[in-house]
Each structure stands twice: as C-alpha cells, then as structure tokens.
Amino acid sequence: MKVYKYRSIEEDIFKRDFETISTNSFYSSNYSMLNDPFDIYFNEEISQVIDLLKTLFPHSELENLEKQFREVLNFKEEIGVYCLSTDFLNEQLWAYYASSYFGYCIEYDLDKLVDKGQNFDFQYQFQIDYMDNIPTLGIEDLINLQDGFIRKMFATKKSAWQHEKEIRLIFDKYGMKKIHRSAITGIYFGVKTPEKIKQNFYKLFENDDVKFYEVFPSNFELDFRLINETKRKLKHNINKFDFEILKHRINVSHESYYVFYKGNKNELDIKEFILAFREAFLIKENNSLYIFDNKEVESLIDIYPKNDEQYINYANSIITVCDDWEEAGINNPYKDFHYKEIINKR
C-alpha cells in the first residue's frame, strides 16, 4: 500500500526535511505538536468504575489497577505520531501542508515504513475514524485493547478532518525513526515547485528506484504526470525474466518471497534469476526465496499443516527454495523423506 506525506518548502523546514530524508529517516511527533487541538482528546469512565470497585471491594490489586490505568493514559505524553494520507491529489492538503503547490508530497511503501526491524518501538497502524462525538473510554474497551482503548485514544478525530484520509502510525517514543532506503518510491511536485527543489531530489535519489511526478490542475480537478525517473545501478537485469510475485512476508528479522517463474528452468537461468531477484527486491539480510513453476500453488502457501495431496502438489510445484546463506541454484527441500513416504503409499 502507498501512503503520502505532504511537505512545505519554507526555507528552514525544507532544509531540515531534506536532511532527514537524506539520512533515510522521518520524524514522529509528540502529540502536542499536532495541529488539531482536539487530537488525542477523549473522555473516560474507567476511573469511576475503579473508584466504585475500591469502595465495594477494598483491595491492593485495585490500587495497582488504577496505577496501571493512569500510566496508560499518561502514555500519550511519550508516544510518537506520524500522520500520512492515502490521497496524493488532495486539494486541501496541497494548500495546507505543501506551500500551496510550491511544496512536494512523498510517496512511501507503507509495509517498509512499519518494519519493526527498522524501528522496534513501532506499535500501531490506524486508519483514522472520523466522528463528531467525543470518544469515551469505557471498561469494555479494555477487553479489545487495540481496537477499543488504543483506537479511541489515538485514532479518532472530528469529522471536519475527514478529507485528509489519514493513516496514523504510533511509536512508543517520539523522535527520529529510520527507514529502509527503498521505502520512498515517489515524489510528487506541485505545479509551482521551483526547479531547484526538483533538481535537489533528482540528485538525492540518482541511484534509487524513484518516480517523480508533477501535480497540476486539469478540467477543474487535480491530475498528475511522470516527469522523471531514477534507477538503481544493478549488476543483474531482473527485467529480462518473466515472473509474478505471489506473496511477500516480512517481519522483524526475516522476509520471504514466493514467486511464479515463467522462464527457462535450466540451472544457469535459475541461478541468474535468483541473483537478480535478490538484488532487486530483498531488503532483509535474513531471507528466503521460493520459486514455483505454476500460479495455482498460491492457494497452498498458507496451509499448515498440508495433507498428503497438498504436500505432494506443493513439492511438485517447487523449482527451488533458496535461503540467503545458500549459493543460488536448484534445491527442493520438500522432496524429502515425508514426500517419498507418501509416494510409496500410493
């Protein structure tokens, strides 16, 4: 999923932001820096329930519960918030946050922004709920902490802001956060963005895969066009291969790609494809690449455990499985003792 951050080119702001982008970083703000005075604004009824329980059932555990609840409420003083939009053609956002079309808008790959391998303190990703009533934290919200308590605290805004189509990231601590270099996939310039600003970005991303667009008015609405594109200088040419990515998994320390390969299956071609794919797509040092000869196997990837028929079909669909520490080549670990045992029983 792609998400967008609108930025101004006021001199001090641009200098600071450009340096931050140059160091593969972004800044998650303290809630007090948000421009909506009613952001992270709520009522709560939980204190009243705890007071009542303490009256009826005096117990030290209730004192501890009250203390823990207060600590959760005070958590808002420490968190980092990063606000993004799902819309890069938003007229209000270009006017408010991008210097009235003199500024720019950054396009991010959301999956890479929330990679806990880059920021261990990333906690929540929310699509903002817009409403006109003050959210109230009740005892029932403690049952489903993320979609009840936390969402009401940090992901609810007045409906007057719904045009922003906001995605919000929550971190344990406010401050600078790191991103993988490939997380930025595009830059959108306003129709009034100075050429000098554009050239700065072209130079910054000259060895990255980034597309640059211009946003302009057309037929009483905003439109955009590609005006430049930069590419990484790669040793291998991934574009010479015909393939389709079936699934991508990534966590703190590991990522896996499941790929339908449509080309020649001789070992030299497979080896070259693995090297090209690793260079073009993999961002984690600890990784696995599963290469299949058909697309139908996609339905079996997430089935655990597989029955005998599914196991055989899955194994027969594999061209190779290659981990990061292995030399590129053909290897099928699923044609193992279990595979042979099933075949012999038939």
Side-chain angles (χ1 to χ4, degrees):
M1 180 179 179
K2 299 298 177 62
V3 290
Y4 305 90
K5 186 72 172 179
Y6 292 79
R7 300 309 299 156
S8 167
I9 60 164
E10 294 177 25
E11 184 174 358
D12 291 342
I13 294 176
F14 178 73
K15 183 178 179 181
R16 178 200 66 196
D17 288 350
F18 193 79
E19 182 178 347
T20 299
I21 295 169
S22 301
T23 57
N24 305 321
S25 304
F26 64 90
Y27 186 80
S28 63
S29 304
N30 177 267
Y31 89 99
S32 63
M33 298 175 65
L34 302 176
N35 61 351
D36 177 7
F38 300 107
D39 215 332
I40 312 185
Y41 190 91
F42 53 87
N43 292 326
E44 62 89 4
E45 298 174 344
I46 299 173
S47 295
Q48 300 174 31
V49 175
I50 292 176
D51 288 341
L52 178 60
L53 290 173
K54 285 166 62 179
T55 302
L56 297 174
F57 309 103
H59 201 285
S60 60
E61 288 188 5
L62 288 173
E63 297 285 352
N64 292 333
L65 176 61
E66 182 178 29
K67 180 181 177 182
Q68 291 171 357
F69 175 61
R70 293 297 169 194
E71 288 176 352
V72 172
L73 291 182
N74 291 333
F75 176 57
K76 73 176 185 178
E77 305 293 336
E78 299 294 329
I79 65 162
V81 180
Y82 197 51
C83 304
L84 302 140
S85 176
T86 59
D87 185 5
F88 63 90
L89 294 177
N90 190 303
E91 295 176 36
Q92 294 98 324
L93 298 187
W94 276 105
Y96 297 161
Y97 303 121
S99 304
S100 296
Y101 299 89
F102 282 92
Y104 60 98
C105 177
I106 306 169
E107 177 184 84
Y108 289 108
D109 181 325
L110 181 58
D111 289 337
K112 293 179 180 177
L113 269 187
V114 300
D115 177 12
K116 288 179 76 74
Q118 297 288 330
N119 300 292
F120 280 92
D121 69 334
F122 168 72
Q123 291 298 335
Y124 303 105
Q125 170 190 321
F126 290 116
Q127 188 163 351
I128 292 294
D129 294 326
Y130 298 98
M131 58 183 63
D132 288 320
N133 298 321
I134 301 174
T136 300
L137 304 178
I139 199 74
E140 69 280 0
D141 292 314
L142 296 175
I143 298 173
N144 188 346
L145 197 62
Q146 178 169 333
D147 289 329
F149 193 91
I150 302 297
R151 175 175 285 278
K152 284 185 176 181
M153 283 183 70
F154 301 127
T156 306
K157 297 186 68 171
K158 295 182 71 172
S159 59
W161 297 87
Q162 62 186 348
H163 63 276
E164 294 194 343
K165 301 177 183 177
E166 184 178 337
I167 296 287
R168 177 167 291 184
L169 309 183
I170 304 293
F171 300 84
D172 282 341
K173 299 288 185 181
Y174 62 87
M176 299 299 296
K177 307 299 173 185
K178 299 297 293 183
I179 58 173
H180 189 271
R181 185 76 179 178
S182 62
I184 294 179
T185 55
I187 303 289
Y188 293 77
F189 299 115
V191 68
K192 301 177 183 178
T193 306
E195 185 63 26
K196 182 179 179 180
I197 298 293
K198 297 177 183 178
Q199 293 299 326
N200 284 338
F201 278 109
Y202 297 159
K203 179 66 175 176
L204 176 62
F205 291 110
E206 63 183 351
N207 193 32
D208 294 282
D209 295 328
V210 178
K211 293 183 177 181
F212 301 90
Y213 305 89
E214 181 181 66
V215 173
F216 60 94
S218 176
N219 296 321
F220 215 52
E221 62 183 12
L222 292 182
D223 200 352
F224 69 103
R225 57 176 165 248
L226 182 69
I227 59 173
N228 197 7
E229 184 173 1
T230 54
K231 290 285 188 180
R232 282 183 294 163
K233 298 174 178 63
L234 303 177
K235 295 179 181 178
H236 306 280
N237 181 15
I238 190 64
N239 294 320
K240 67 183 286 187
F241 297 99
D242 189 8
F243 65 95
E244 181 180 343
I245 295 174
L246 303 179
K247 190 176 290 291
H248 176 218
R249 289 199 184 101
I250 188 166
N251 58 36
V252 175
S253 60
H254 186 271
E255 71 175 323
S256 300
Y257 272 98
Y258 299 79
V259 179
F260 168 31
Y261 174 77
K262 307 174 187 179
N264 294 324
K265 298 180 181 64
N266 66 72
E267 189 160 7
L268 285 177
D269 284 344
I270 294 298
K271 181 176 181 177
E272 186 180 357
F273 173 69
I274 292 170
L275 294 174
F277 192 93
R278 282 174 172 172
E279 184 181 32
F281 291 98
L282 290 161
I283 64 173
K284 296 278 189 181
E285 292 185 3
N286 187 9
N287 58 70
S288 300
L289 178 58
Y290 295 73
I291 303 176
F292 303 95
D293 63 9
N294 67 80
K295 187 175 181 179
E296 289 69 31
V297 74
E298 184 176 6
S299 63
L300 299 176
I301 292 173
D302 290 328
I303 295 179
Y304 298 104
K306 295 174 176 60
N307 62 35
D308 287 355
E309 182 179 357
Q310 291 167 339
Y311 194 91
I312 292 297
N313 289 339
Y314 192 75
N316 287 339
S317 298
I318 291 174
I319 298 174
T320 188
V321 178
C322 194
D323 292 322
D324 60 282
W325 49 269
E326 293 179 313
E327 182 179 353
I330 292 179
N331 172 48
N332 190 342
Y334 281 80
K335 288 191 174 180
D336 55 5
F337 176 79
H338 181 53
Y339 175 90
K340 294 175 182 178
E341 189 177 46
I342 298 171
I343 293 295
N344 290 334
K345 285 192 302 184
R346 289 184 168 183

